[in-house]
Each structure stands twice: as C-alpha cells, then as structure tokens.
Amino acid sequence: MLDNNQLLRFTTAGSVDDGKSTLIGRLLYDSKSIFEDQLQSIENTSKKKGHAGVDLALFTDGLKDEREQGITIDVAYRYFTTPKRKFIIADTPGHIQYTRNMVTGASTANVATILIDARHGVIEQTKRHAFIASLLNIPHVIVCVNKMDLVDYSEEVFNKIVSQFEEISSKMLIKDVRFIPMSALDGDNVVNRSENMPWYQGSPMLYVLETMHISSDINKVDARFAVQTVLRPQSDSHRDYRGYAGRVASGVLRVGDEITVMPSGFTSKIKGINLYDQELEEAFAPQSVSIQLEDDIDISRGDMIVRSNNKPEASQDIEVMLCWLNSTGAKPRTKYTIKHTSNDQKAMIKDVVYKIDIETLNRVEGNADLNMNDIAKVKIRTTKPLMIDSYRENRSTGSIVLVDDSTNETVAAGMIV
C-alpha cells in the first residue's frame, strides 16, 4: 500500500482563460510525465491549429467538445509521479454552471490551486473558488498568479494581488495559503525557477507540491471504523474466526483498545487486527483491515466501531451544507437514500435554512427551491441515527451523499455542519 504522505491530490480552479489547462500541461511536460505517443499526437494537433509551439492545454482538455470550444467542461483526472511523490490532479471547470463539478473534483483534495490572471487580479470567480475551497475544508491553498509575462513580471502587481486575496481569505476558514508568481506558457516558476522574477524568493510550484507537509491533514485523534462486512470464512484453519472488515476512516485503533459499537452501544476490546494474512498491532487511516473483538456482539454493515472514550454523535436530525448535483431539482417531502460511510438510510430534506448566492457569496433566506449547482444549508431527517462528526473535524465521517431511489442517481453531496 502507498504510504499516504507520498500521494498528494490537488485540484485546479480558475476562471476561463486563466491558463489552468496550460499550467497542468506545463507541469506534465516539464516534469517529463507525458508518453511519447501522447506528445506526438498533441504536437500534430497543435500544428493543425496553426500554433507555433506545443499547445500545452491539449494535455488536459480530453473531451472533444472541450478541445473544440477551448474550455474545460468536466473534471479531468491526471496522474503523474516524480521521485518524491505521486500526484493526482483534478482539473475542474471554472464556469459558474459547473459549480457541482468543482465541488466533486475538490472533495478529496489536499491542496487547491487557484489561478489568477495577473492582468485582472482577484475577480468574482476567484472569490467563488476560494469559498468552495474553504467550504470543502481543503487544508492548503496555492494561489498561482499567472501570466506575469503580460505585466512585465511586475512585483508591484503581484503584491497587490496577494493583499487582495488575503483580504477575502481572512473572512474564510483557509488555514495555509501560499502565493507563486508564474507564467505557465513560458514555464516560469512552474517546475523551474524563473530568471525573470529575481525578486520572488520562494520555490517553484512543483517543489512546493513535492515538499508540502500533508500527513497531518488526516484526523488522527478520533478513531472511526465503519463496518462494511462481517467475515466468517468457516475454513478448517479459521473455524471460529469472526472479523469485521472495513476502512479506518480516521484515527488509530490498537489491539487491546476498549471500544463501543454504535448505534447499539455494546462494548468490547479489540482482540486482533488483520491486513490480508498479516497480524497488526495497530491500524490507522486510510487502511482497510479486519478487526476481531473479544466478545460476540451482533454487528452488521453500517455499524461503527469507535473508542469508548471518544464517540461521534448519533443523530437522526442533521444540518448539512448541500450542493445539488442533479438537473432535476429537489422535490419536497421526497424520501432519498442517504449514504454515510458504509451506512445507508432513508432520509428527507425537512427544511432549507438558506441558500448561498454563488456570485456574491451572500445568504439568501426564504427560497426553498434547490436546483442544479445550488449550495444551501439544509436540515435532513433520517429514519435511523447516523454516527456523525462535523465535516470540519472529520472529512470522512462528516460527508454524505443523497441518492434518488426512483432513478438511482446521486442528486446531492453534503458536508455535515
């Protein structure tokens, strides 16, 4: 299994023509992460379009529609590796009508990179992307001030944008913000340090991504283990084996720990932890393991094993920041399936407390309609209790999705407040 601090997921966001796709293309191109045949095909396409050099944006705009319109429509995932780390990039669209795509792409990211065109500074889109990064509790934000070549590599322009962004981010919950002046087209400060901006004393973007400390992003305090299935092999070598398989969502569980099974409240101690045929003394997030208990307790899928002195809240009434993903709006008093860790229950939206106006970021009260790309704070009632933490404290046990039973489509994703 990959050691978690080797894999970094980052998302890119910026408004149209900020050079997002070019930046990723440059990152892949300069770090030698492109196959020869891909390079050949893109060089040919660039020639056909009459470009002097390689059009770096073509590395990411994978859909035919995207290449023809020159815009990013869907989330494109790109994988690349350097000697120090493995990376997954989620390239998300900048258009307001694709807010849901940005939320989806950013939901698992360690880092959000927000692009700003040096000529335009902080605009409406920038505020929106910073707000979504803050809402999704992305631990680190890199603000890439791009197209510095078009403002004569001016330090004054860069400093002005830094103070503009700091003013908006101070009102949001963003913990770690870094600023890099760059030109993605020319490769300044992307993989290699720029000679055109000697006044910038920081590192280029790839070095920042390679050395960023992300192992503390996972909640190591609250031990949460959602049971996915019960293992009863009934083989000669494992005649009486009963193990509970699942993934450690957060925290650390050790052999000998006193645990409580929720929602039943039964207690026991951890007798053994298995990873394939290995016996472990402890398991930590995000390992998938099987846990044996000292007592026979009735446990099934959806139950949660936690430490007895540190329990999540068990509740049927939850408040959630919800992003509506479906083209059909929310129907009042409709029952949806709510999926939370390995627990599926029936639920309904009782009340829309307020919606967020994505352009101004103001709250809009008294409008209960939920349509595609809407972000709203809602109250949800479930048929049975869910074992929840707030999303700020625990991204794994603080997130939910809603599924429409009639179409089986995922209609919304949410963060428990």
Side-chain angles (χ1 to χ4, degrees):
M1 193 190 95
L2 248 184
D3 188 39
N4 198 58
N5 63 6
Q6 275 190 298
L7 175 68
L8 181 139
R9 297 167 181 269
F10 69 96
T11 174
T12 58
S15 65
V16 188
D17 294 335
D18 276 350
K20 219 158 28 83
S21 300
T22 306
L23 172 63
I24 295 171
R26 172 61 69 190
L27 207 53
L28 299 173
Y29 187 68
D30 283 4
S31 63
K32 313 275 187 287
S33 303
I34 296 158
F35 294 118
E36 283 295 318
D37 57 341
Q38 271 181 302
L39 191 54
Q40 195 58 57
S41 136
I42 281 162
E43 281 172 354
N44 295 342
T45 312
S46 303
K47 271 187 200 139
K48 271 186 211 158
K49 288 181 140 192
H51 296 302
V54 177
D55 182 358
L56 296 166
L58 297 173
F59 289 126
T60 54
D61 286 342
L63 300 176
K64 190 159 166 276
D65 290 358
E66 296 181 329
R67 285 201 294 262
E68 283 170 4
Q69 296 178 48
I71 63 168
T72 306
I73 296 171
D74 203 356
V75 183
Y77 292 96
R78 289 284 172 273
Y79 305 86
F80 76 103
T81 305
T82 69
K84 292 187 186 160
R85 257 197 184 142
K86 290 181 166 62
F87 296 94
I88 299 178
I89 313 172
D91 182 21
T92 62
H95 289 63
I96 194 161
Q97 68 265 40
Y98 302 123
T99 300
R100 62 182 188 152
N101 303 53
M102 185 182 167
V103 170
T104 317
S107 60
T108 55
N110 307 90
V111 182
T113 54
I114 297 177
L115 263 82
I116 296 178
D117 186 323
R119 296 167 302 173
H120 305 144
V122 171
I123 56 171
E124 206 68 72
Q125 297 263 55
T126 318
K127 292 180 190 170
R128 199 169 76 244
H129 296 145
F131 170 74
I132 291 175
S134 152
L135 183 71
L136 289 165
N137 204 26
I138 298 176
H140 313 277
V141 172
I142 299 175
V143 177
C144 303
V145 181
N146 192 23
K147 305 197 179 180
M148 288 297 292
D149 51 316
L150 301 180
V151 293
D152 298 327
Y153 304 105
S154 159
E155 184 180 6
E156 196 185 326
V157 169
F158 175 70
N159 290 339
K160 189 176 163 199
I161 291 172
V162 169
S163 55
Q164 281 177 345
F165 191 89
E166 281 175 340
E167 192 185 322
I168 59 163
S169 67
S170 63
K171 299 170 191 156
M172 299 175 189
L173 293 161
I174 302 176
K175 302 183 195 109
D176 171 28
V177 186
R178 303 168 197 214
F179 299 89
I180 303 176
M182 61 171 63
S183 163
L185 195 62
D186 300 333
D188 291 283
N189 286 336
V190 180
V191 172
N192 305 310
R193 185 180 269 284
S194 168
E195 290 174 6
N196 295 311
M197 292 175 270
W199 46 264
Y200 172 66
Q201 296 301 307
S203 305
M205 181 180 175
L206 183 62
Y207 182 81
V208 172
L209 290 169
E210 282 183 330
T211 55
M212 187 172 271
H213 179 67
I214 57 167
S215 57
S216 57
D217 295 348
I218 290 180
N219 178 329
K220 293 196 172 76
V221 178
D222 306 311
R224 306 283 186 258
F225 182 83
V227 176
Q228 291 185 3
T229 186
V230 181
L231 301 178
R232 298 290 308 277
Q234 306 287 8
S235 64
D236 290 342
S237 54
H238 296 87
R239 178 67 58 202
D240 298 318
Y241 184 91
R242 178 195 283 263
Y244 306 103
R247 188 177 188 191
V248 184
S250 60
V252 183
L253 287 165
R254 296 182 177 88
V255 174
D257 277 355
E258 295 196 358
I259 60 94
T260 299
V261 178
M262 296 185 71
S264 66
F266 289 124
T267 58
S268 183
K269 275 189 178 173
I270 295 181
K271 181 168 124 186
I273 300 172
N274 297 92
L275 177 65
Y276 307 117
D277 49 3
Q278 286 174 278
E279 290 195 6
L280 306 179
E281 280 303 303
E282 62 173 34
F284 51 86
Q287 283 181 317
S288 295
V289 294
S290 159
I291 290 178
Q292 287 174 276
L293 301 179
E294 288 186 356
D295 305 278
D296 269 347
I297 302 175
D298 181 18
I299 299 178
S300 55
R301 179 181 167 84
D303 289 353
M304 192 177 280
I305 295 174
V306 300
R307 268 211 219 93
S308 296
N309 60 358
N310 176 341
K311 297 177 192 164
E313 183 190 345
S315 178
Q316 286 179 263
D317 289 294
I318 54 179
E319 287 201 349
V320 177
M321 287 301 291
L322 203 66
C323 177
W324 198 260
L325 308 173
N326 202 270
S327 51
T328 309
K331 307 180 195 86
R333 320 310 283 175
T334 302
K335 277 213 170 133
Y336 295 99
T337 293
I338 188 168
K339 289 180 175 284
H340 172 262
T341 63
S342 59
N343 194 353
D344 294 0
Q345 302 292 347
K346 293 284 178 262
M348 64 195 276
I349 299 169
K350 272 175 51 183
D351 186 24
V352 176
V353 184
Y354 60 80
K355 279 166 55 168
I356 302 269
D357 181 328
I358 283 289
E359 294 207 2
T360 62
L361 304 185
N362 293 332
R363 296 178 179 187
V364 180
E365 292 176 10
N367 179 353
D369 290 341
L370 280 182
N371 297 305
M372 188 156 80
N373 295 317
D374 279 349
I375 293 177
K377 185 177 181 180
V378 301
K379 289 181 177 172
I380 291 177
R381 171 90 194 192
T382 62
T383 46
K384 287 183 183 160
L386 300 179
M387 283 64 75
I388 58 170
D389 295 292
S390 82
Y391 185 83
R392 288 243 159 255
E393 285 164 19
N394 201 329
R395 282 168 95 177
S396 298
T397 51
S399 52
I400 58 111
V401 295
L402 293 182
V403 176
D404 184 331
D405 291 344
S406 58
T407 60
N408 215 19
E409 289 177 350
T410 301
V411 291
M415 285 116 343
I416 296 167
V417 176

